[in-house]
Structures are given as C-alpha cells and as structure tokens.
Amino acid sequence: DAGVIQSPRHEVTEMGQEVTLRCKPISGHDYLFWYRQTMMRGLELLIYFNNNVPIDDSGMPEDRFSAKMPNASFSTLKIQPSEPRDSAVYFCASSFGGYSNQPQHFGDGTRLSIL
Amino acid sequence: AQTVTQSQPEMSVQEAETVTLSCTYDTSESDYYLFWYKQPPSRQMILVIRQEAYKQQNATENRFSVNFQKAAKSFSLKISDSQLGDAAMYFCAYRSASWPGRFGAGTRLTVKP
C-alpha cells in the first residue's frame, strides 16, 4: 500500500513568494495532520482535519498560513507571503480514527528553505 | 494543556548494550494512547511501539519495550542489544480525544560501535 505522499520533497524559494505544500493521505484514513519540525521548537501540530473538515487550527502560526482539504485524497498547506523564519521541515500525517491506538502515518516531509 | 517532556536531548549507547529513553507527560485525562516514533537521518517517522493507557501490561516489540507508569505519567523506552541502525531521533507522542497529536522534543540516540 502506498504511504502518505508529500510533494515537493525540497523547496527553496525567496522571501515573499507563495509556497504550496501538497499531501496525499493513505486511502481510507479519515484524519489528516500537518506538522512543522524545527530544531528550536521540535514537532509542532499546525492543523488537523477530520473527514476533510478542519477541526483545530490553533497551531497555525499566523494568517500567512492556510490549509485546505478539498477531498479525502488531497490537502495543501500554503504560506503567503513566505518569510525566512518559515524555513523548516513540514510533515503531513494521516490516521484512521483521531482517538485510537492507530498511529499516525507520516509522509517523508518537505524541507522548505526561504531565502 | 497536555504536554510531553523528553528531558534527554541526547543519549549515547555502546553497540549491544541497553539504553533507556525517558518521557513524561502531563494530562488530566484518564484515557489516552502513547507512542514512540523513530526518525532516522532519512527523515521518515517510523512507529516503534504503542501503549494503551488502560492496559497495565507494558508493550514489547522485539528489542523495544516500554516502562509505563500511569500514576507517575511516565513512559520510557528501553532498547536492548542496541544496533547501529537504532541511531536516530526518538519522539514520544501522546494521543487522546482532545489531543490527537502531541509530541515531545525528541532524544537523539547515538550508537557507538
């Protein structure tokens, strides 16, 4: 079975540009999570969806960040305008059930560098 | 808010020896799940072991086992017969109805040959 697929794997762009990160969850999973990983702050939960509906976006750092899930097989995380402090590895994860012993399955992450 | 604390930023172990990674958490909930994930340099997040809070028996997966102390809110990971391939970042994670994804800061494990 295919795992969680993220694209691109690496993204380098200049400050002020719009950045779009993409995620395809595992088929059948009803929860999707976006995380950001940095050395300083570790792994932070940004937002999560249940059945394509955003449930909690309290981790989104500011209005420059937005996430959508138009259908069960696709989600995007956008940053507009991007800033150097947004540089991090962004992970998408999916799971079956938000409250269960089923683990979150992670994609390989997108390493984002904002110059 | 629930917090997960990994107090050891770095740990080192000799190959074939045993190492224990610590994790504590703060919660007022009685029903939750705990996980340990491994992140090698490849950046993948790999599930190592899971524990249901309602189970008293400690989970075991081959060379990996946990010491779950619910009253103390402690969830440590023991790696026996350490191998070079065990070198990675290890994250402790908490999951409940109100917090579907809370991770600790991680512990970087080095395995010396």
Side-chain angles (χ1 to χ4, degrees), chain A residues 95 97 99 101-102 104 109, chain B residues 31 39 43 50 52 95 100:
Chain A
S95 71
Y99 174 49
N101 69 344
Q102 295 304 306
Q104 296 172 355
Chain B
D31 207 5
Q39 186 180 42
R43 211 165 72 200
R50 76 189 83 177
E52 292 88 345
R95 191 171 195 189

Side-chain angles (χ1 to χ4, degrees), chain B:
Chain B
Q2 285 75 3
T3 57
V4 178
T5 302
Q6 293 179 249
S7 58
Q8 306 153 317
E10 297 183 355
M11 289 286 284
S12 180
V13 63
Q14 205 71 33
E15 193 175 6
E17 297 295 309
T18 295
V19 64
T20 299
L21 308 184
S22 300
C23 173
T24 59
Y25 55 95
D26 183 24
T27 184
S28 58
E29 298 174 314
S30 59
D31 207 5
Y32 49 87
Y33 299 90
L34 298 164
F35 304 84
W36 277 98
Y37 285 86
K38 169 185 176 181
Q39 186 180 42
S42 65
R43 211 165 72 200
Q44 289 178 298
M45 290 286 282
I46 303 165
L47 176 68
V48 174
I49 199 166
R50 76 189 83 177
Q51 175 79 43
E52 292 88 345
Y54 61 85
K55 288 187 178 179
Q56 293 186 343
Q57 186 174 4
N58 289 326
T60 299
E61 289 286 343
N62 301 315
R63 297 183 295 106
F64 298 87
S65 61
V66 299
N67 183 5
F68 174 49
Q69 302 288 328
K70 190 172 184 179
K73 297 177 183 175
S74 171
F75 182 60
S76 59
L77 174 69
K78 186 171 82 171
I79 306 174
S80 303
D81 186 23
S82 297
Q83 300 175 1
L84 295 178
D86 295 334
M89 282 288 287
Y90 285 82
F91 291 94
C92 177
Y94 172 100
R95 191 171 195 189
S96 71
S98 58
W99 293 98
R102 178 76 71 186
F103 284 75
T107 296
R108 183 174 301 281
L109 178 66
T110 302
V111 181
K112 297 179 179 178

Side-chain angles (χ1 to χ4, degrees), chain A residues 45-49 54-62 65-67:
Chain A
L45 177 62
L46 301 178
I47 185 172
Y48 73 95
F49 296 82
I55 303 300
D56 187 347
D57 65 355
S58 59
M60 296 286 261
E62 46 196 281
F65 286 70
S66 63

Side-chain angles (χ1 to χ4, degrees), chain A residues 13-105:
Chain A
T13 191
E14 292 190 348
M15 175 179 169
Q17 298 297 306
E18 178 179 289
V19 173
T20 300
L21 311 181
R22 297 173 175 80
C23 175
K24 177 180 170 56
I26 292 173
S27 178
H29 281 187
D30 55 348
Y31 278 79
L32 184 139
F33 308 82
W34 282 101
Y35 288 89
R36 178 172 68 176
Q37 185 178 27
T38 60
M39 289 292 292
M40 292 296 295
R41 301 176 71 90
L43 202 60
E44 303 173 273
L45 177 62
L46 301 178
I47 185 172
Y48 73 95
F49 296 82
N50 175 216
N51 291 324
N52 314 336
V53 176
I55 303 300
D56 187 347
D57 65 355
S58 59
M60 296 286 261
E62 46 196 281
D63 292 345
R64 299 184 296 106
F65 286 70
S66 63
K68 294 182 179 180
M69 192 166 186
N71 57 62
S73 60
F74 184 65
S75 177
T76 60
L77 178 67
K78 284 190 178 181
I79 308 173
Q80 168 63 21
S82 58
E83 297 182 3
R85 59 194 169 119
D86 302 331
S87 298
V89 178
Y90 290 81
F91 285 100
C92 175
S94 70
S95 71
F96 179 70
Y99 174 49
S100 73
N101 69 344
Q102 295 304 306
Q104 296 172 355
H105 297 260

